[in-house]
Amino acid sequence: MAIKLTPLNIIMVFSPDETQVLMCLRRKPPFQGLLNFVGGKVEKGETSEKAAYRELEEETGISDSMIRLVHMMNLQYLIPGWDLQVFVGKLRRNVVLREELNHLYWIDVHEDFCDQTRFAGECNIRHLMEQVRVYHNQLLE
C-alpha cells in the first residue's frame, strides 16, 4: 500500500553576511515552543518553488526580489506522512521582517542546533546546516 505524503516546505534564510539564520518560535504543534525554520504547506496545484516563496513572504515579509531560493533536498517522513521540501537562500540585503503568527529570530550559525530544549527537529537542523556548509558554493553563491 502506497503512503500518501503531504508536501510541506521549510526555508533556511541566511543573513547577507551568512553569520545568522532566520528561525521562528513555533506557537503550535509540532514542535510548539521550539525554534524552527519558517515554512508551511504546499497548496494543491502549486509548485514547490512557488509555495516556498509564498510561505516565506507570508511569514516574514521577504519577497522573491530579496532572495533567491534553491531547493536543496527533500526529507520523507513516512510516519506522519510528510514530504519535507528544504529550500535555502541568502538575503541580498538586510530587511525589516514582518511576523505573521510565529515570532522571528536571527540565530547565530554556530549555535548548538541539537539542543532539543531550544530547537525543533531532533538534531535535523544541525544536519541541514552542515549540508549548507558542505554545498555552500551551489547553494549560497
Side-chain angles (χ1 to χ4, degrees), residues 2 14 21-22 35 41 48 60 72 76 79-80 90 97-98 102-103 116 118 124 127-128 130 135 137-138 141:
F14 289 85
V21 65
L22 184 63
L35 292 165
K41 294 180 182 176
S48 297
T60 68
M72 180 172 74
Q76 294 187 337
I79 297 174
K90 177 173 73 171
L97 298 172
R98 183 191 73 231
N102 300 305
H103 291 299
Q116 293 182 52
R118 292 184 61 215
N124 283 336
H127 170 71
L128 296 175
E130 181 65 15
Y135 298 105
N137 291 342
Q138 294 97 317
E141 293 299 318

Side-chain angles (χ1 to χ4, degrees), residues 50-61:
K50 184 175 180 179
Y53 280 109
R54 176 186 53 75
E55 286 288 348
L56 183 60
E57 187 160 12
E58 286 175 3
E59 294 189 19
T60 68

Side-chain angles (χ1 to χ4, degrees), residues 9-114:
N9 59 46
I10 58 170
I11 303 116
M12 301 173 69
V13 175
F14 289 85
S15 61
D17 65 3
E18 300 177 30
T19 62
Q20 297 178 308
V21 65
L22 184 63
M23 303 195 94
C24 68
L25 186 63
R26 298 272 312 164
R27 288 191 178 207
K28 60 183 183 178
F31 306 120
Q32 183 174 3
L34 297 175
L35 292 165
N36 200 0
F37 296 118
V38 298
K41 294 180 182 176
V42 178
E43 295 176 358
K44 187 174 175 116
E46 188 175 42
T47 67
S48 297
E49 182 176 351
K50 184 175 180 179
Y53 280 109
R54 176 186 53 75
E55 286 288 348
L56 183 60
E57 187 160 12
E58 286 175 3
E59 294 189 19
T60 68
I62 297 171
S63 70
D64 61 357
S65 68
M66 301 172 186
I67 193 168
R68 177 183 67 90
L69 295 178
V70 176
H71 190 164
M72 180 172 74
M73 69 173 64
N74 284 26
L75 301 169
Q76 294 187 337
Y77 294 84
L78 301 181
I79 297 174
W82 299 334
D83 178 22
L84 188 59
Q85 303 164 0
V86 182
F87 286 82
V88 178
K90 177 173 73 171
L91 287 170
R92 294 184 172 111
R93 62 186 182 283
N94 289 323
V95 299
V96 175
L97 298 172
R98 183 191 73 231
E99 294 179 350
E100 181 189 38
L101 173 65
N102 300 305
H103 291 299
L104 301 172
Y105 298 93
W106 287 106
I107 305 295
D108 186 282
V109 297
H110 297 103
E111 282 284 339
D112 175 7
F113 293 104
C114 268

Side-chain angles (χ1 to χ4, degrees), residues 72-73 126-136 139:
M72 180 172 74
M73 69 173 64
R126 183 172 72 182
H127 170 71
L128 296 175
M129 293 293 288
E130 181 65 15
Q131 293 302 296
V132 171
R133 188 191 67 74
V134 169
Y135 298 105
H136 177 272
L139 296 169

